[in-house]
């Protein structure tokens, strides 16, 4: 059976931390579907087309990756896309405390297991909320975001 993981998030923007989780997941799965949240009631700093095109540019040479938009329950998305697992990253106990109940609920709803990967320690402090604040206040974020030019042009 094909092992396909869904990696869901807002990815506003997709950082080197997110990228590291995907790259570390690649040897474990036949396919990774990066699912970009596009909830019309949420406001994003970078619009959905920018976020989708930016992520696609980072993985343009990686045939095992698909990038899609989503606006539904993660377990429904997994069924729709044929994903057998959910992929998430863990940086610290805060992530752990937030992620574990969600993973347990997803297992209860669908029997889909969540796989957690830990990024390189240098990427622990990278957090999309902080990156947005730096950018909104005129700071440089290209150190934390691969292909930053594709996000803003
Ligand atoms: P969003 O849902 O706003 O995109 P997150 O930043 O929570 O937000 O990202 C989605 C997933 O990526 C989560 O599993 C989160 O733990 C993980 N993640 C975010 N930043 C990093 C990072 N620097 N290193 C590893 N994983 C990360």
């Amino acid at each position: 059976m094909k092992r396909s993981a869904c990696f869901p998030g807002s990815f506003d923007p997709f950082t080197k931390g997110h990228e590291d989780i995907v790259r570390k997941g690649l040897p474990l799965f036949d396919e990774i579907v990066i699912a970009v949240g596009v909830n019309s009631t949420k406001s994003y700093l970078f619009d959905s087309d920018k976020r989708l095109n930016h992520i696609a540019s980072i993985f343009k040479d990686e045939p095992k990756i698909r990038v899609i938009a989503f606006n539904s329950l993660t377990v429904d998305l997994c069924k729709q896309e044929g994903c057998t697992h959910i992929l998430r990253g863990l940086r610290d106990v805060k992530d752990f405390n937030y992620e574990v109940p969600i993973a347990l609920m997803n297992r209860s709803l669908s029997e889909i297991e969540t796989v957690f990967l830990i990024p390189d320690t240098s990427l622990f402090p990278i957090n999309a909320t902080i990156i947005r604040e730096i950018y909104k206040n005129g700071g440089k974020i290209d150190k934390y975001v691969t292909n930053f030019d594709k996000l803003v042009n």
Side-chain angles (χ1 to χ4, degrees):
M1 188 182 169
K2 185 171 132 187
R3 293 168 65 88
S4 174
C6 170
F7 184 44
S10 309
F11 305 129
D12 187 28
F14 190 88
T15 67
K16 287 188 179 176
H18 298 130
E19 182 181 344
D20 193 51
I21 295 302
V22 172
R23 294 202 188 280
K24 286 184 168 39
L26 275 172
L28 306 177
F29 295 103
D30 301 308
E31 176 186 60
I32 295 180
V33 178
I34 302 175
V36 181
V38 293
N39 187 334
S40 56
T41 61
K42 258 179 102 173
S43 67
Y44 299 100
L45 182 59
F46 299 101
D47 69 31
S48 51
D49 282 351
K50 286 222 161 75
R51 285 179 286 139
L52 284 154
N53 291 335
H54 170 239
I55 300 169
S57 80
I58 296 173
F59 297 109
K60 68 177 182 347
D61 298 321
E62 183 41 74
K64 285 164 76 176
I65 290 186
R66 273 197 293 139
V67 186
I68 63 167
F70 88 108
N71 184 11
S72 61
L73 266 183
T74 307
V75 292
D76 290 341
L77 172 77
C78 288
K79 278 182 203 141
Q80 190 186 310
E81 298 298 328
C83 297
T84 50
H85 294 80
I86 295 168
L87 177 63
R88 298 289 284 176
L90 283 185
R91 288 161 287 189
D92 53 22
V93 289
K94 207 164 141 267
D95 275 350
F96 181 88
N97 288 336
Y98 175 77
E99 295 284 349
V100 169
I102 297 173
L104 292 172
M105 288 308 283
N106 284 335
R107 178 193 283 163
S108 151
L109 285 168
S110 70
E111 299 183 348
I112 289 177
E113 290 296 332
T114 302
V115 173
F116 294 102
L117 295 178
I118 299 169
D120 288 348
T121 52
S122 63
L123 303 170
F124 278 8
I126 300 182
N127 165 317
T129 306
I130 299 174
I131 299 297
R132 282 197 298 280
E133 284 309 306
I134 295 171
Y135 184 70
K136 280 195 262 184
N137 289 291
K140 272 169 68 69
I141 61 167
D142 51 334
K143 200 160 121 188
Y144 314 108
V145 176
T146 299
N147 286 1
F148 169 70
D149 55 315
K150 294 281 191 306
L151 185 64
V152 286
N153 293 320

